[in-house]
Amino acid sequence: MADKRTIEIQAPFVRATMNPDSFNEEERTVEVVIATEEPVRRFSWRQNEEYDEVLSLDPEHVDVSRMEAGVPVYDNHWTYGGCEGVLGRVESYEIKNKQLIGVIRFADTPDVENTYQKIRQGIVTGVSVGYDIKRFNREDQGEDEIPIYRATNWMPYEVSFAPIQADIKSGVRSQEKEKTLKVEVEGLRSDEPTSNDDNDNSYELEMARYKSNINKHRSA
């Protein structure tokens, strides 16, 4: 029987795609694909299972309130540096062909110029997007298949240029252990365990479980 519960996940990031041919040097802008519906492999500590996360790009499922205001563009998710970590902002966006597309404008200031030139010259190409998820729909794919957790209420809140570009198949998890999100999940089976043991919040224990789960799949 399907159930609805709230689980806790690490704050997620995924790779975005930059279109270098869209650089406008006069306006200091470039176009990026902020999100697609490409599945990203994740692991749920509470459910003790791998799943494929899909960000629904049905316009009704995307909270664009921050996009409307112009989300900031950071240097490698450096949100704690005040204004120093800000490279620019997302000036405009559209949802088209199952893609969330944005146009980034870089600040024309000395502190940004070094990073801007590396991006313009193609030295730095990694783009990562931070977002919040409020609701998942869990979709079973069969007894031996990994389920899909489809985000049907989510909000992008920042874009970053990063020195290491993540594989879109694996995504990028936050390195901040303390930053987590509580997400409502619809479609969970009522017989599935959900641990409430405080020790399950241990980062080391979570990593051990994750590695063990990966090794099981590799040896299968």
Side-chain angles (χ1 to χ4, degrees):
M1 184 175 67
D3 196 2
K4 184 196 309 187
R5 273 178 279 173
T6 298
I7 65 172
E8 194 171 26
I9 64 171
Q10 282 187 294
F13 298 99
V14 296
R15 190 188 76 179
T17 304
M18 181 177 68
N19 178 9
D21 295 332
S22 68
F23 251 107
N24 183 323
E25 293 195 45
E26 183 177 347
E27 299 293 330
R28 294 174 68 89
T29 61
V30 69
E31 182 180 280
V32 298
V33 177
I34 294 173
T36 70
E37 291 193 349
E38 179 76 24
V40 174
R41 186 62 48 86
R42 305 283 194 197
F43 186 81
S44 170
W45 314 116
R46 292 294 186 181
Q47 299 304 117
N48 194 31
E49 69 173 357
E50 283 189 302
Y51 63 92
D52 281 338
E53 177 190 283
V54 174
L55 300 176
S56 171
L57 283 164
D58 182 326
E60 294 184 357
H61 295 162
V62 187
D63 181 348
V64 294
S65 55
R66 292 201 180 186
M67 297 292 294
E68 291 284 353
V71 299
V73 177
Y74 289 107
D75 184 348
N76 202 31
H77 304 291
W78 190 33
T79 59
Y80 299 107
C83 295
E84 292 183 20
V86 178
L87 300 176
R89 61 180 286 169
V90 177
E91 282 221 318
S92 62
Y93 74 92
E94 64 176 334
I95 298 176
K96 181 180 179 181
N97 299 326
K98 296 295 184 180
Q99 295 181 326
L100 175 58
I101 301 168
V103 175
I104 291 172
R105 181 166 65 88
F106 295 90
D108 188 4
T109 56
D111 61 308
V112 171
E113 191 63 23
N114 181 48
T115 303
Y116 170 74
Q117 290 300 330
K118 290 176 183 178
I119 296 168
R120 186 184 67 80
Q121 295 170 24
I123 306 301
V124 173
T125 60
V127 185
S128 184
V129 178
Y131 54 98
D132 285 336
I133 299 174
K134 296 181 180 178
R135 185 176 64 243
F136 276 132
N137 280 346
R138 186 185 189 280
E139 302 170 6
D140 282 315
Q141 302 300 300
E143 185 175 346
D144 298 322
E145 299 294 327
I146 292 174
I148 289 176
Y149 279 47
R150 190 178 304 276
T152 55
N153 186 349
W154 66 279
M155 177 180 65
Y157 62 81
E158 62 103 338
V159 175
S160 283
F161 283 87
I164 299 176
Q165 190 168 11
D167 186 329
I168 198 167
K169 293 290 187 179
S170 62
V172 178
R173 288 189 176 86
S174 170
Q175 297 303 307
E176 302 170 60
K177 295 182 288 185
E178 72 278 4
K179 188 171 184 180
T180 59
L181 302 176
K182 290 187 177 180
V183 185
E184 181 182 273
V185 184
E186 295 181 344
L188 287 173
R189 296 192 303 273
S190 58
D191 59 342
E192 290 180 316
T194 302
S195 174
N196 291 315
D197 190 342
D198 289 339
N199 291 330
D200 287 343
N201 291 325
S202 163
Y203 180 71
E204 290 76 13
L205 181 57
E206 289 177 352
M207 289 305 299
R209 287 179 175 174
Y210 176 69
K211 290 176 181 178
S212 174
N213 189 277
I214 292 296
N215 289 333
K216 285 179 182 178
H217 280 283
R218 285 177 176 171
S219 60

